[in-house]
């Protein structure tokens, strides 16, 4: 495998773990606000990010590459509103999308067809991730206090769906 591509995939899997950390901090903001549905929803988001990292790890392992795990800084723990958390999340996912697209550009550049095929899953997943947060932002913007309570109840039903291990 191309050295630069390996390095960038390794960097991305660490960024997925950092994303998990970002959402874990948000989960605890909601716990503190007694919004149990949002708290649960962000816990699922956290689990998804760990699964995204694991999927990258499995891929590099399958290609005979040793993964390197790195550290990262403290995530943001203080927020002023539900909307602020959701907007920070959407911006975070836009950054992830940019990075995934950059990985795809490199894979195409070095004609690594297996990696192009592998990365397609993440390209599709990012459309979903951005849509999830955009929709939540739209919903929260339309809500009054009672509506937020109802939305919180609804978010409590999100289920973690494991990625099929290939
Ligand atoms: Mg992710």
């Amino acid at each position: 495998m191309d050295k630069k591509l390996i390095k960038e995939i390794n960097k991305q899997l660490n960024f997925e773990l950092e994303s998990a950390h970002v959402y874990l901090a948000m989960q605890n903001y909601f716990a503190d606000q007694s919004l149990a549905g949002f708290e649960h929803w962000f816990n699922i988001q956290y689990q998804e990010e760990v699964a995204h990292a694991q999927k990258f790890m499995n891929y590099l392992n399958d290609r005979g590459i040793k993964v390197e795990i790195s550290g990262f800084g403290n995530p943001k723990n203080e927020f002023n509103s539900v909307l602020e958390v959701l907007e920070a999340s959407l911006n975070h996912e836009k950054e992830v999308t940019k990075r995934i697209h950059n990985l795809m550009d490199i894979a195409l550049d070095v004609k690594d067809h297996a990696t192009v095929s592998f990365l397609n899953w993440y390209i599709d997943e990012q459309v979903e991730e951005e849509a999830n947060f955009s929709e939540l932002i739209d919903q929260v913007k339309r809500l009054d206090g009672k509506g937020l309570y109802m939305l919180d109840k609804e978010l409590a039903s999100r289920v973690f769906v494991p990625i099929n291990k290939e």
Side-chain angles (χ1 to χ4, degrees):
M1 247 179 108
D2 177 79
K3 288 234 163 27
K4 186 181 177 203
L5 185 55
I6 292 171
K7 194 175 145 231
E8 292 302 317
I9 292 178
N10 200 100
K11 203 190 280 179
Q12 183 59 31
L13 74 86
N14 280 290
F15 195 65
E16 299 288 345
L17 292 173
E18 185 170 352
S19 302
H21 230 62
V22 164
Y23 293 125
L24 200 55
M26 291 170 173
Q27 173 195 323
N28 282 284
Y29 165 78
F30 290 120
D32 186 54
Q33 297 290 311
S34 300
L35 287 167
F38 279 94
E39 176 190 352
H40 169 81
W41 198 94
F42 273 78
N43 175 264
I44 302 290
Q45 190 67 27
Y46 157 77
Q47 293 183 59
E48 277 200 9
E49 299 309 334
V50 173
H52 294 167
Q54 196 68 58
K55 188 177 171 74
F56 274 122
M57 286 180 220
N58 291 339
Y59 181 70
L60 286 185
N61 289 334
D62 285 350
R63 299 280 310 256
I65 311 293
K66 176 160 185 318
V67 167
E68 300 285 338
I69 300 299
S70 58
F72 36 77
N74 293 338
K76 186 172 160 65
N77 279 275
E78 308 301 330
F79 301 92
N80 294 309
S81 68
V82 171
L83 200 55
E84 189 191 337
V85 176
L86 295 175
E87 281 169 347
S89 301
L90 178 60
N91 285 336
H92 185 83
E93 288 305 325
K94 284 181 175 171
E95 173 62 27
V96 174
T97 300
K98 205 169 82 186
R99 291 176 184 223
I100 298 286
H101 287 187
N102 181 53
L103 282 182
M104 181 61 104
D105 288 344
I106 299 167
L108 288 167
D109 204 38
V110 300
K111 297 185 166 56
D112 185 335
H113 298 117
T115 302
V116 168
S117 171
F118 172 76
L119 288 173
N120 270 321
W121 184 88
Y122 286 90
I123 301 272
D124 295 344
E125 176 70 7
Q126 281 313 115
V127 174
E128 194 67 31
E129 294 283 44
E130 288 192 26
N132 281 344
F133 285 114
S134 291
E135 282 164 23
L136 272 178
I137 287 169
D138 287 346
Q139 287 176 40
V140 167
K141 278 182 176 167
R142 284 196 304 263
L143 293 177
D144 53 16
K146 185 163 175 279
L148 187 64
Y149 174 78
M150 297 302 288
L151 179 60
D152 188 60
K153 285 265 173 277
E154 189 187 315
L155 295 181
S157 66
R158 187 181 185 190
V159 177
F160 175 68
V161 182
I163 301 166
N164 290 334
K165 204 184 155 195
E166 284 131 55

